[in-house]
Amino acid sequence: MMFAKSIKATVALVGFGFCTSAMAENPLIQTYYSPDPAPVVFGDTLCTYSGNDEGGSFFTMHGWRVSCTTDMVNWTDMNTLILEAGDFNGSAKKNGDWAAQCIRRNDKYYYYVTVESAQGGRAINVAVSDKKEGPFKDALNGKHLAGPNWDYIDPTVFIDDDGVAWLYWGNPKLYYCPLKENMIECASDIQVSDMSTFNGKYTEGPWIHKRGKKYYMIYAAGGIPESIDYSWSDSPTGPWTYKGVIMPSSEPGAAFTVHSGIVDFKGRSFFFYHNQKNVKGGGFSRSTAIEEFTWNADGTIPTIRATDSGVVKPIKNLDPFVRVEAETKSWVGGMTVNTSDGYTIIEHVGSEYGNVFLTNMNSGFYTKVRSVDMGDGADRITVCTRGSGGMLELHTGSENGALLASMNIPASTAWEEHTFDVTDAAGVDDLYFVVKQGGFDFDYWYMESEKTAVPQTAYKGTAAMIPGKIEAENYDEGGHNKSFYDNDRENQGKVYREDEVDLVDISDSKCGDAACSGYAIGYTQENEWVEYTINVTADAKYDITANIATAFETAGMQLFVDDTAITDAISFEKVDSVFTTYKVVDVGSVELKKGEHVLKLLITGPYLNVDWLQFTDPNATTIIREVRLTSQANVSYNVFGVTGKFLGRVENADANLFATLKNAGFADGVYIVRAIGQSKALRVKVK
């Protein structure tokens, strides 16, 4: 990352007290005060942009910041300052950098911010960058997008389904305009909303969100102290209908001003806000907090309460076998962030300028990283540090939990990697890097394991052929979090294979009217997965069926090819009250390209046993055009629907197969039949 000015490498110590995971995960950023959160999703990453409270007796705010996450529990400080008033070519005064929001369009990032105009009054300015973390540059060369006007604060922006971008802002009125395609000019005159439709509640801090066909305007309401209320509309321009309070002003730790944002990410919904909990400086030192919530069935937003816990369940576990930035953390006790400023950095770091790292590493300080998946076990940890040296310990569970590694950090004037042995580092756990003796800066870390060096390969070296049947127990080789993921890490079935995937012997089970054979995946839990290397023989649309068993209504799965979803998350009805009855079910149809791919089976609902997956090309079967089809007498046939769904079996078929199906009770329609023990399929029309 590059910075516009080297002064941006300076950061003040934030006055947070120590707080362990047992006590809190809110506020989610402890290395700086982060008022006016503006969450935005960029693919697999969610970033929250914020101001930068300086404390004191007023809203003195110098510059803007951003922190990002991929799991909703560990947040990475992307920079110290990504933009400040001085970057606007003389149009903005210093220390008046108020609420802002970022959006991406055409591979550019546009940042709409509140400034105190050099001409007097407030104004909306816009900056642009090629990267979400900046640095951002003035997009209008010293001009305001809107203003100056003392009402012009707190911009919020979104792009509607028709491609039109809308910008809103204001206190005590709600102003708006559509933006031109260039995103830096209003496409029409600035409009003022009909404020009477807000029931006198609207104050400031608007946030626009669209869900389905409804437009939600969320805002600070009711005067001082403020609550967070919302209205909705069927149009981006209103009229707005007042819907109620989201977060009351009486919540513990509430600041007298509020600012919020709502975002949907990875199928879950999150409410961002700021408060003055766990900070010094009261309402002028505010920090971002977050709560997960579920929308009401009628589309309304529930009342959301402020908690200390924040997001309890991560989106995913953190992988320690790749480089992890030291500034990626769920909680920091005392440390702060800084950036390099022109000195030489080793090759692993990348840029010679702008590298972000943890500093102020005093004795007793610590950083916590949540939900780290160490797989079958790590053997070593490497840390990148510089400085006069010191002592760093790695613990699990808490600052005083089980000791995994003691790291005697040597002195170094340049960034250097140092490797240490770790013990009992396996499974999913929270990690704590605890400083026992300070004097060094901390850039990044990663773990290594002999087991993690095992590549992912097809089971016994042979890819599963498509079209064809994939036996669920023949998942790829490679190990935990590479070819499979198992929540409890224990082999509960203890059959067929010896890793953590739970398999069951189904030889005593029933598959239709016949006995099953082989093995199935069992004891499944939500978010577990297995992968298969597949070889698709031809470009085609394949019908997918599966042989499953479940005694619950909660079971479900989803399929991916090369990490792209090819089915929705499918929920299955209970097959039987026991897990020994298997049934063939439709999974869907998908276009696949010829060649080798990786298929992932993800468990989306627990208690699902999977015996096999079948990929069928219905156009590849032999089509029999005769209505009356003769066949061998006294042969048994399996009967399938045209999508490959198993429908039953006819025993000792008559030589007239059409008549056999008709007499067996099959309704008029087209069926695919296959003689037991043969691969050739026939298509038969019954009418």
Side-chain angles (χ1 to χ4, degrees), residues 13 20 67 70 149 151 172 251 276 291 370 496 518 523 597:
L13 174 64
T20 67
S67 286
T70 57
N149 183 322
D151 288 357
E251 290 299 281
Q276 62 186 54
E291 309 296 343
R370 270 188 64 185
Y496 191 61
Y523 300 100
H597 305 276

Side-chain angles (χ1 to χ4, degrees), residues 25-29 32 34-41 45-50 66-75 100-101 205-207 209 218-220 227-229 246-247 257-266 268-275 287-293 295 301 304-307 310-311 315:
E25 294 291 347
N26 272 330
L28 58 86
I29 300 166
Y32 57 88
S34 52
D36 305 324
V40 59
V41 174
T45 301
L46 186 151
C47 296
T48 178
Y49 293 80
S50 75
V66 61
S67 286
C68 298
T69 184
T70 57
D71 58 23
M72 294 305 296
V73 296
N74 295 300
W75 293 84
Q101 187 179 343
W207 179 268
H209 183 80
I218 301 153
Y219 47 85
S227 60
I228 300 173
D229 294 21
I246 299 175
M247 181 171 282
T257 63
V258 293
H259 194 106
S260 62
I262 278 179
V263 67
D264 297 317
F265 182 52
K266 297 291 185 179
R268 295 159 62 179
S269 299
F270 302 93
F271 177 75
F272 288 72
Y273 62 103
H274 69 224
N275 60 28
S287 292
T288 294
I290 183 173
E291 309 296 343
E292 187 169 358
F293 75 98
W295 294 82
I301 303 173
I304 300 173
R305 301 294 182 179
T307 71
V311 176
I315 294 287

Side-chain angles (χ1 to χ4, degrees), residues 335-368:
M335 303 172 188
T336 58
V337 291
N338 208 333
T339 59
S340 59
D341 191 16
Y343 46 76
T344 301
I345 304 174
I346 64 174
E347 181 181 356
H348 296 278
V349 174
S351 172
E352 186 176 348
Y353 298 89
N355 177 55
V356 185
F357 57 90
L358 285 181
T359 188
N360 190 39
M361 306 280 287
N362 293 334
S363 178
F365 288 5
Y366 69 90
T367 178
K368 171 189 173 186

